[in-house]
Amino acid sequence: MASIDISAIRKSYGHFPVLHGIDLTIRDGEFIVLVGPSGCGKSTLLRMIAGLEEVTSGEISIEGRRVNDLAPKDRDIAMVFQSYALYPHMTVADNMSYSLRLRKTKKERIAEIVASASSKLGLDALLQRRPKALSGGQRQRVAMGRAIVRQPKAFLFDEPLSNLDARLREQMRAEIKKLHKELGATSIYVTHDQIEAMTLADRIVAMHGGVVQQVGAPLDLYDRPANLFVAGFIGSPGMNFLNGHYVVEKGAAAVRFANGTQIAVEPRARLGHESIVTLGIRPEHVVISPTGAIEAGVDLVEPTGFGIIMHLSLHGLPFKIFTLDRSAMNTTGAVKVDFPMNRLHLFDAEGQRIN
Ligand SMILES: Nc1ncnc2c1ncn2[C@@H]1O[C@H](COP(=O)(O)OP(=O)(O)OP(=O)(O)O)[C@@H](O)[C@H]1O
Ligand SMILES: [Mg+2]
C-alpha cells in the first residue's frame, strides 16, 4: 500500500494540451474516483500514474519516490481495464498466476495466493476454464484476481464495469467496495458514471477539460458543488439551473427572473444588487405544497417506479422536480411548490459557487 502524489502534471499530445496542471495527493489506503465526461483526461492521468504514458511536465511520486522515469513493471501498481485484457489461451488459474510465475514465486506459494484470491472473488469453480468460456462479469473478476495476486502498492481501475449490464454492474460495484474494505489498498478508479463515483469513493475528483474542478467526499460534492459543472454533473435527475439577477430590496435578497417572478434567497455579501446569477436547486428538494409560494405549470409527468419526475414551468422557465409521492401522478394543470431557502445554490456569472 502506498500514498501517491501528483504534482503540477501536464500532458500534451503534440501541440494539443490534454491535462492542464493536476495536483492531487492520494492517501495510503484511500479509494479515489476520477469522474468526468468523455475526453476530459481521466484515462490519460491514470495511464501516466501506471507509467503507460509519458508525463509532459510535473511529477508523480509513489510512497515518496519519484517514478516519472520508472518503467511500469517497476512501479508495483496493478491496472484493471474495461477490456479485461486476459490471455485467451491460458486458463483462469494461469491468467491469475502469470505475474507470480514471471517473478519466480514458489509453486506452493502461488497456489496459496491464487486460492485465496479466487475464493474472495468467487472463482473457485472456474479456475480451469479459458476466458472465452466465461461471462463478462466472470472475466472482470478474473482481471481483478490477476491484479490482487500481485499484492501491488496500488490498484488502478479504468472503467472496469462499463462492459457489463446494469444489474451486474451494481453487483460488481458492491463487490469492489467490499474487496477494498478487506484489502485496504490505495485505489484510483476512473468512471463517467456518477453513481459509481458516489457509492465507491472516499473522495471524488471531478474533472472537466483536463482541469480538476473539485476534490472532496461524495456528499460534499453533492451538497456543496464548487461550480456549475460539478453541480450539473453529480446527481440524477440533474440540478435545475435558473438564470436571473440577484436583487436586494429592504434587506431581503432574491433572484429575479426575466419573466418577473422572483425566489427568495439568503443574502450573499459578495453579490451586488442586479448581479447576474444562476440559481440551482435539486429536483428532490423542490417541495410540493398546497401553500407553496410558487405556482408552476405541469408540462409532463414521468413515473420511474421508484418515484416521479415532474417537468414544470415557471412562467416559461422549465425545471424538474422529483418526488416519492405517487399522488403527484394525477396532477394536471398547475401545482404549488416551494423552493426552500436552505436548499438553494447560487453561482456567479463565471459559474462559481457563492456561499
Ligand atoms: N494517443 C493520443 N494521441 C492524441 N490524443 C489523445 C491520445 N490519447 C488521448 N488523446 C486525447 O486526449 C483527451 C483525453 O483522453 P482520455 O482518454 O484521457 O479521456 P477520458 O476522460 O478517459 O475519456 P473517456 O471517458 O471517453 O474514456 C481526448 O481529447 C483524447 O482525444
Ligand atoms: Mg477513458
Side-chain angles (χ1 to χ4, degrees), residues 39 42-44 158-159 190:
K42 306 178 296 290
S43 297
T44 303
D158 195 352
E159 311 229 14
V190 164

Side-chain angles (χ1 to χ4, degrees), residues 91-354:
T91 62
V92 167
D94 288 344
N95 262 287
M96 282 170 67
S97 61
Y98 184 70
S99 64
L100 300 176
R101 284 182 281 135
L102 276 190
R103 280 190 211 164
K104 308 249 187 301
T105 308
K106 285 210 178 95
K107 256 199 175 144
E108 303 75 46
R109 183 76 191 116
I110 292 182
E112 246 171 66
I113 298 172
V114 169
S116 147
S118 129
S119 88
K120 277 194 187 83
L121 290 162
L123 289 170
D124 288 347
L126 307 174
L127 285 171
Q128 295 317 313
R129 289 210 200 156
R130 282 178 217 285
K132 70 172 187 319
L134 300 176
S135 72
Q138 290 165 339
R139 283 179 211 182
Q140 192 49 262
R141 257 176 248 264
V142 178
M144 299 221 292
R146 201 175 46 177
I148 290 173
V149 298
R150 291 176 48 194
Q151 299 172 306
K153 288 203 181 103
F155 290 100
L156 307 182
F157 300 91
D158 195 352
E159 311 229 14
L161 307 185
S162 49
N163 280 343
L164 308 179
D165 66 44
R167 181 158 305 274
L168 201 53
R169 276 182 87 127
E170 228 179 274
Q171 189 186 333
M172 288 293 287
R173 191 175 84 207
E175 285 181 26
I176 290 176
K177 186 156 185 165
K178 260 195 257 165
L179 208 59
H180 178 253
K181 279 201 164 143
E182 208 174 309
L183 301 175
T186 309
S187 305
I188 308 178
Y189 187 105
V190 164
T191 180
H192 51 249
D193 180 327
Q194 44 108 10
I195 297 287
E196 252 168 61
M198 290 295 290
T199 51
L200 283 170
D202 291 323
R203 283 191 303 156
I204 294 178
V205 177
M207 290 175 64
H208 182 44
V211 175
V212 170
Q213 305 289 319
Q214 190 171 4
V215 180
L219 291 179
D220 279 352
L221 269 68
Y222 195 84
D223 292 340
R224 300 175 62 78
N227 57 36
L228 280 176
F229 169 77
V230 178
F233 193 78
I234 304 277
S236 177
M239 189 184 282
N240 294 298
F241 296 125
L242 305 169
N243 297 321
H245 289 86
Y246 177 82
V247 292
V248 186
E249 273 157 8
K250 298 185 194 126
V255 174
R256 182 181 294 153
F257 305 105
N259 61 24
T261 36
Q262 52 182 57
I263 288 174
V265 298
E266 280 161 6
R268 306 292 210 275
R270 234 185 79 199
L271 287 174
H273 186 64
E274 297 285 345
S275 308
I276 292 176
V277 289
T278 300
L279 179 96
I281 185 163
R282 295 205 178 275
E284 66 272 30
H285 291 154
V286 180
V287 178
I288 305 177
S289 147
T291 60
I294 298 158
E295 188 167 276
V298 179
D299 292 338
L300 186 71
V301 177
E302 293 180 307
T304 69
F306 175 58
I308 292 158
I309 301 170
M310 297 175 81
H311 298 243
L312 305 182
S313 82
L314 178 60
H315 305 294
L317 278 180
F319 68 101
K320 285 181 201 169
I321 71 178
F322 179 80
T323 174
L324 296 176
D325 178 5
R326 287 217 170 165
S327 65
M329 268 306 285
N330 308 317
T331 322
T332 51
V335 63
K336 284 186 170 168
V337 297
D338 273 319
F339 283 26
M341 239 191 232
N342 62 349
R343 298 294 203 180
L344 299 177
H345 307 259
L346 275 191
F347 303 93
D348 65 17
E350 276 73 53
Q352 296 302 309
R353 175 183 196 83
I354 308 162

Side-chain angles (χ1 to χ4, degrees), residues 13 16 18 36-45 53 159 190 192:
Y13 289 106
F16 184 68
V18 171
S38 186
C40 74
K42 306 178 296 290
S43 297
T44 303
L45 182 58
E53 198 74 67
E159 311 229 14
V190 164
H192 51 249

